[in-house]
């Protein structure tokens, strides 16, 4: 590991197919950051167990996430790309941090409340302490930058609280981690139906997956909600129309976007044409990633090699941190 460079860490749960939100919220940043920083990117298989206790599909999901990360441009020779459960130090740090996390704050976490509502028969302790495990992932490498989408903002705020408590109680070990995006604000990629964000497991017909076929992409985009168009010039856009523009800003050329923006302002916009254009631009964006990921996904030997190499780098950094943690906590007898 090179000394002196800022440390970057992030993770993605293997709970389904990766989508455009994962790409623009997280992976696009990973690819840029790996050029300049010491990067740790992992597949959060332990976090997946909090909502997906059945492990039948876990292996293929872990392989898919790894393959999709590489297809999007992660270079395993530059960044450590690994699987969370391969770095056992994570569980030890998680245990220590649990003693610094309070029931009240954990119960108030938005993701906990959402998930508890979705799985009322399985409100397990892992779900409650999910942000503690996420903090362990990050600070195990003493990372300062965490490239994530907007939905992870609260988890990062909690991570800073846990870090400050640890440093205050035992001694300065960890820097405060910050959520990171190359643009200014953290990204939230909206779903195609205008009712929320793209998601791995919910709202599948309104989410564009990196594994979607060209036909599926066209079908989903063409079904996006529109109306008969604005009736007075320069009107504000309803949310579902703004979402379509927002998606266009991600994949279309500046000229194309400008053309539809002025058509909207002049009330001459034809949403059918706009969606056709968006669908083609999406196909051009997604198809090369899908094809590359598919060829990597089926090469198990290669994926195993990558995971082992990544875990080795991650364990090296983790064991150095844990040595310092045990000493600082006074756990050396
Ligand atoms: P996960 O697996 O839900 O999502 C992976 C990454 O994709 C981002 N993302 C989005 N960004 C913009 N628009 C969307 N519609 C959208 N949907 C998802 C997420 O913000 C995330 O960056 N708790 C994390 C996994 C994790 C982690 C970590 C992250 C575990 N340990 C340590 C950072 C650091 C999660 O569930 O991400």
């Amino acid at each position: 590991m090179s000394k002196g460079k800022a440390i970057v860490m992030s993770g993605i749960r293997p709970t389904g197919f990766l989508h455009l939100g994962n790409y623009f919220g997280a992976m696009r940043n990973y690819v840029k950051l790996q050029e300049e920083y010491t990067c740790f990117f992992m597949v959060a298989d332990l976090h997946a167990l909090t909502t997906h206790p059945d492990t039948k599909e876990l292996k293929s999901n872990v392989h898919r996430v790894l393959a999709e990360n590489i297809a999007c441009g992660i270079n395993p020779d530059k960044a450590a790309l690994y699987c969370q459960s391969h770095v056992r130090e994570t569980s030890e740090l998680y245990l220590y941090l649990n003693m610094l996390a309070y029931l009240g704050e954990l119960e108030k976490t938005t993701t906990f409340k959402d998930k508890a509502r979705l799985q009322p028969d399985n409100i397990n302790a892992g779900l409650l302490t999910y942000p503690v495990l996420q903090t362990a992932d990050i600070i195990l490498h003493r990372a300062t930058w965490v490239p994530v989408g907007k939905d992870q903002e609260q988890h990062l705020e909690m991570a800073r609280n846990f870090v400050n408590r640890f440093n205050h109680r035992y001694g300065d070990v960890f820097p405060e981690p910050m959520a990171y995006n190359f643009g200014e604000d953290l990204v939230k990629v909206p779903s195609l139906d205008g009712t929320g964000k793209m998601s791995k497991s919910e709202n599948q017909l309104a989410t564009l997956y990196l594994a979607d076929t060209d036909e599926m992409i066209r079908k989903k985009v063409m079904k996006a909600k529109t109306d008969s168009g604005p009736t007075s010039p320069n009107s504000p856009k309803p949310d579902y129309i703004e979402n379509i523009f927002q998606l266009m800003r991600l994949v279309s050329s500046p000229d194309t976007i400008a053309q539809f923006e002025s058509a909207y302002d002049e009330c001459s916009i034809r949403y059918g044409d706009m969606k056709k254009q968006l669908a083609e631009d999406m196909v051009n964006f997604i198809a090369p990633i899908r094809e590359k990921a598919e060829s990597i996904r089926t090469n198990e030997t290669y994926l195993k090699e990558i995971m082992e190499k990544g875990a080795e780098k991650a364990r090296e950094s983790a064991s150095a941190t844990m040595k310092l943690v045990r000493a600082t906590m006074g756990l050396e007898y």
Side-chain angles (χ1 to χ4, degrees):
M1 201 169 81
S2 51
K3 283 210 168 75
K5 280 197 206 174
I7 298 175
V8 173
M9 193 280 147
S10 197
I12 300 184
R13 280 171 307 150
T15 50
F17 290 69
L18 298 194
H19 51 77
L20 220 57
N22 299 130
Y23 181 84
F24 285 102
M27 274 136 54
R28 178 177 57 169
N29 287 307
Y30 298 1
V31 175
K32 289 190 192 164
L33 289 163
Q34 70 182 351
E35 299 302 328
E36 278 188 56
Y37 300 100
T38 302
C39 292
F40 296 92
F41 299 129
M42 62 86 178
V43 185
D45 59 335
L46 301 175
H47 277 109
L49 296 175
T50 63
T51 52
H52 293 62
D54 185 347
T55 53
K56 266 203 304 295
E57 290 181 12
L58 195 51
K59 183 173 176 182
S60 74
N61 280 337
V62 167
H63 286 184
R64 176 182 297 283
V65 172
L66 282 173
E68 289 181 330
N69 269 278
I70 298 167
C72 286
I74 301 291
N75 178 345
D77 291 326
K78 291 185 175 157
L81 184 59
Y82 62 100
C83 184
Q84 188 181 28
S85 64
H86 292 174
V87 181
R88 305 278 156 86
E89 287 84 352
T90 311
S91 308
E92 184 186 351
L93 186 54
Y94 171 50
L95 178 76
Y96 301 151
L97 292 175
N98 269 321
M99 266 66 96
L100 298 169
Y102 301 115
L103 182 61
E105 65 187 337
L106 295 170
E107 277 176 336
K108 270 195 288 187
T109 315
T110 309
T111 47
F112 172 70
K113 289 193 286 190
D114 288 349
K115 285 175 184 156
R117 206 174 314 119
L118 285 173
Q119 52 185 67
D121 298 329
N122 182 19
I123 308 179
N124 59 77
L127 202 57
L128 182 70
T129 56
Y130 183 112
V132 185
L133 180 57
Q134 181 162 344
T135 305
D137 295 330
I138 299 166
I139 70 177
L140 198 54
H141 304 298
R142 285 169 275 172
T144 45
W145 297 114
V146 186
V148 283
K150 181 129 189 84
D151 59 310
Q152 296 297 312
E153 207 165 27
Q154 189 181 29
H155 288 169
L156 265 294
E157 199 181 307
M158 296 175 80
R160 286 191 291 279
N161 288 337
F162 300 145
V163 157
N164 287 327
R165 264 175 231 160
F166 183 98
N167 287 347
H168 187 249
R169 182 162 303 168
Y170 298 112
D172 255 329
V173 172
F174 301 112
E176 282 192 349
M178 305 295 291
Y180 186 83
N181 179 45
F182 257 96
E184 279 148 36
D185 297 329
L186 298 185
V187 174
K188 173 184 164 189
V189 176
S191 63
L192 284 162
D193 62 4
T195 63
K197 63 183 175 91
M198 290 198 181
S199 149
K200 284 195 216 97
S201 44
E202 293 160 52
N203 227 354
Q204 297 192 353
L205 280 174
T207 295
L208 292 169
Y209 295 97
L210 300 178
D212 277 347
T213 61
D214 295 352
E215 273 329 293
M216 184 56 91
I217 296 166
R218 291 190 182 104
K219 197 169 131 194
K220 287 180 181 176
V221 173
M222 294 314 288
K223 275 180 66 178
K225 179 177 170 183
T226 51
D227 52 30
S228 51
T231 48
S232 53
N234 305 312
S235 324
K237 299 183 183 90
D239 284 352
Y240 49 92
I241 298 297
E242 174 54 32
N243 284 353
I244 299 178
F245 273 97
Q246 211 178 314
L247 291 169
M248 200 167 224
R249 282 180 214 120
L250 298 176
V251 293
S252 301
S253 72
D255 283 355
T256 303
I257 299 159
Q259 177 200 329
F260 286 102
E261 287 280 4
S262 37
Y264 181 88
D265 287 339
E266 290 157 12
C267 304
S268 60
I269 192 154
R270 293 158 59 123
Y271 288 131
D273 291 347
M274 183 181 183
K275 289 197 281 187
K276 261 191 212 141
Q277 177 72 49
L278 177 62
E280 287 324 299
D281 292 341
M282 280 292 174
V283 165
N284 287 332
F285 180 80
I286 291 176
I289 297 178
R290 178 188 66 224
E291 281 154 22
K292 194 161 176 212
E294 198 47 31
S295 72
I296 300 170
R297 197 175 65 81
T298 45
N299 190 346
E300 275 204 33
T301 320
Y302 171 68
L303 289 176
K304 233 186 151 108
E305 241 174 62
I306 299 293
M307 266 189 286
E308 275 167 20
K309 202 169 74 175
E312 217 170 281
K313 285 196 234 174
R315 279 193 295 258
E316 195 192 320
S317 137
S319 64
T321 300
M322 290 317 293
K323 235 177 152 164
L324 187 59
V325 165
R326 288 180 215 113
T328 309
M329 290 180 74
L331 300 179
E332 282 177 328
Y333 318 114

